[in-house]
Amino acid sequence: MDVRVFATPDTLQKGALDGKAAIVIDALRMTSVAATAMEHGCAGLLAVAEVEEARAAARQYGALLGGERGALKIEGFDFSNTPQEYTRPRIAGRRLVMTTSNGTRAILAAAGARRVLLGAFVNASAAARAVDGEAGVGIVCAGTLGAFTLEDALAAGAIVERLCQKTRAVRLDDMALAAHRLYRGARGDLAAALAETEHYGRLTRLGLEADLVYCLREDILGAVPERQADGWFR
């Protein structure tokens, strides 16, 4: 298995994901939200780039709306980007349209992959199992507004760690190797490793500490949202 990690969607070269399985990561918080929603019975998730596009899709499909801009809930949306809001009573059996500042854009950037899955710390082992047997895996980190973020690199490293545990026949590119080593150095206390980072600090200042605690818990979910032929993740 060849594993490549892309530090941001902007580092994706044309054709880099052709024929590959892609795992998109926005650990704080979109892909953690998506895995949580699926774990709790969400009937399907559609990721779109723009707020008005999301509103139109929700009307078309009778779906709920979730997402954020500037880490805050969008006016008129049913959910913010806080995973704990996506409880089974609220989301089970319902479809969800999401737009976020970084995660949904990374998903769209990975559209050329043969498979697109969503991963995070919360479902790292499940994500690794989902691509077991693939010849090529590309892990796409969302970053923040085009910039590298340590949390997504660490989550990529967590998935790489689990892939390496499953088989010796894993070949890592330099970014995958770096993410793996970063994760191995930080896994004892992810919060401490991220405490001085920009995005973690912003979420803390916004009073979203509970979101951070949740999103940094490893392997608490078994759901791995995967894009289907109709474009919806299930």
Side-chain angles (χ1 to χ4, degrees):
M1 177 187 288
D2 289 310
V3 180
R4 298 184 65 186
V5 171
F6 300 90
T8 71
D10 292 341
T11 63
L12 275 170
Q13 305 93 345
K14 184 178 180 181
L17 297 177
D18 288 355
K20 294 183 173 62
I23 301 174
V24 177
I25 294 174
D26 183 9
L28 303 180
R29 298 164 284 163
M30 189 270 166
T31 56
S32 299
V33 164
T36 301
M38 289 299 164
E39 186 88 1
H40 292 158
C42 178
L45 184 152
L46 184 66
V48 302
E50 304 299 336
V51 172
E52 289 310 312
E53 184 183 2
R55 295 188 200 277
R59 288 192 297 268
Q60 179 180 353
Y61 296 109
L64 299 169
L65 281 165
E68 55 75 32
R69 284 297 184 270
L72 301 175
K73 184 178 179 181
I74 300 166
E75 184 177 356
F77 274 38
D78 300 286
F79 301 96
S80 72
N81 207 28
T82 289
Q84 300 92 309
E85 294 179 8
Y86 295 76
T87 60
R88 187 169 294 276
R90 297 188 69 189
I91 199 67
R94 299 294 303 276
R95 288 197 279 188
L96 174 69
V97 178
M98 288 200 75
T99 181
T100 66
S101 301
N102 304 294
T104 54
R105 285 170 170 76
I107 291 168
L108 297 173
R114 181 173 55 82
R115 298 173 66 194
V116 181
L117 306 93
L118 306 182
F121 293 110
V122 293
N123 68 345
S125 288
R129 286 194 299 271
V131 298
D132 189 27
E134 291 283 349
V137 176
I139 303 177
V140 182
C141 300
T144 297
L145 301 178
F148 169 87
T149 56
L150 181 57
E151 68 268 11
D152 289 342
L154 290 176
I159 294 173
V160 170
E161 167 77 5
R162 286 146 176 86
L163 290 173
C164 290
Q165 289 172 348
K166 295 182 73 63
T167 176
R168 292 179 180 272
V170 176
R171 294 170 295 278
L172 308 180
D173 76 347
D174 282 8
M175 187 62 207
L177 181 63
H180 191 205
R181 290 183 176 177
L182 284 168
Y183 170 72
R184 285 195 157 192
R187 60 185 170 182
D189 193 341
L190 293 169
L194 295 171
E196 297 181 57
T197 61
E198 184 174 350
H199 191 46
Y200 188 99
R202 173 169 170 74
L203 294 177
T204 299
R205 291 191 296 274
L206 289 170
L208 298 170
E209 293 92 341
D211 289 24
L212 296 170
V213 170
Y214 181 93
C215 292
L216 296 182
R217 294 172 66 191
E218 298 187 62
D219 295 330
I220 61 171
L221 303 176
V224 183
E226 180 168 358
R227 184 188 64 190
Q228 306 301 309
D230 61 2
W232 287 76
F233 285 83
R234 295 185 180 89

